Amino acid sequence: PSDDDFPFVIDCATSVNQRGKIEKYAREGVETPRGAVIDNEGIERTDTEGILRDMVLGKCALTPLGGAGDKMGGYKGYGWATTVELLCTSFQSGPFGDDICGIDRSTGAPKPMPLGHFFLAINIESLCSLEVFKKNTGNLLRALRQSMKSPKGPGRIWTAGEIENDARVARTAQGGMKVSKVLQQNMIDLRDKHPALQEKYKQFPFE
């Protein structure tokens, strides 16, 4: 929480890109940025469709934050990803690795993903008053946003959750959000494959 109009909210994968971003590249027909995916031969992959195919087969993988190797601190991302995995696995004695990939590697058939989760809630007022915390948070975030800006940048510095808040305000004002033609077709195809969805979504607003 902050005394800004929006909270500080960060939601991110522990890899350079998540699979959903690769799928987005596929819908847009563009290459995956170099450094986001590495295959079993140690080659950085950019062929988006091939990446999606080979990820299912276990022939390539997403790189951790910092990328492969140690030149850009990839070992830090690797350590952070391992920390998250430990928190989500060790407490529940749960499966990990290929056992939660969602695919039977030998047949290619889908299989359940018994994912573990870890939640931590902090009672702020056990340490300081909520109002003081919100003020301190707001002061720090505003200082970051007011920092010196790159002359080659967009002229603005955002903090986590700010872009999403801007989008929410703008989309609420315009009565909703735009859905690309490709995603519209994906939604139609998904609905048409499942009777329960056909009953619930007989017609989308964009049809």
Side-chain angles (χ1 to χ4, degrees):
S2 166
D3 63 0
D4 281 323
D5 292 334
F6 52 91
F8 179 86
V9 180
I10 183 166
D11 176 10
C12 63
T14 54
S15 51
V16 172
N17 269 339
Q18 69 274 31
R19 181 187 171 91
K21 184 65 70 68
I22 309 293
E23 293 173 348
K24 179 175 182 289
Y25 296 147
R27 289 194 297 269
E28 296 172 349
V30 300
E31 289 190 339
T32 296
R34 186 173 299 281
V37 176
I38 193 168
D39 68 13
N40 292 351
E41 304 299 321
I43 299 172
E44 293 183 343
R45 297 277 293 274
T46 62
D47 55 316
T48 299
E49 294 292 347
I51 287 170
L52 289 173
R53 180 186 65 248
D54 285 350
M55 282 180 66
V56 172
L57 300 174
K59 294 183 178 180
C60 66
L62 302 171
T63 57
L65 293 171
D70 59 4
K71 289 184 178 179
M72 294 297 293
Y75 59 91
K76 297 177 182 179
Y78 165 60
W80 171 236
T82 304
T83 299
V84 172
E85 193 71 8
L86 287 170
L87 291 172
C88 295
T89 301
S90 298
F91 283 113
Q92 60 142 350
S93 301
F96 54 89
D98 278 358
D99 290 337
I100 56 171
C101 70
I103 296 291
D104 186 321
R105 298 293 196 198
S106 61
T107 66
K111 71 174 184 179
M113 291 188 291
L115 298 173
H117 295 80
F118 175 80
F119 298 90
L120 174 65
I122 298 174
N123 182 356
I124 292 172
E125 295 196 314
S126 293
L127 303 170
C128 70
S129 75
L130 179 59
E131 292 308 309
V132 167
F133 181 90
K134 291 169 69 173
K135 180 181 178 182
N136 292 341
T137 300
N139 287 341
L140 190 154
L141 297 177
R142 284 186 289 274
L144 289 175
R145 293 195 291 267
Q146 294 165 8
S147 298
M148 184 175 67
K149 299 167 181 62
S150 168
K152 297 182 179 180
R156 179 177 176 182
I157 295 173
W158 289 266
T159 51
E162 186 177 8
I163 290 177
E164 292 79 3
N165 181 71
D166 289 350
R168 180 185 62 81
V169 171
R171 289 166 183 167
T172 299
Q174 70 183 17
M177 63 180 289
K178 294 181 180 179
V179 179
S180 70
K181 291 291 185 182
V182 173
L183 186 54
Q184 289 179 25
Q185 189 59 52
N186 287 348
M187 293 169 66
I188 292 171
D189 292 343
L190 182 63
R191 178 198 61 194
D192 293 348
K193 285 169 58 178
H194 300 282
L197 292 179
Q198 293 172 26
E199 178 65 26
K200 186 174 183 179
Y201 303 105
K202 293 182 173 63
Q203 185 174 24
F204 290 118
F206 49 76
E207 289 187 285

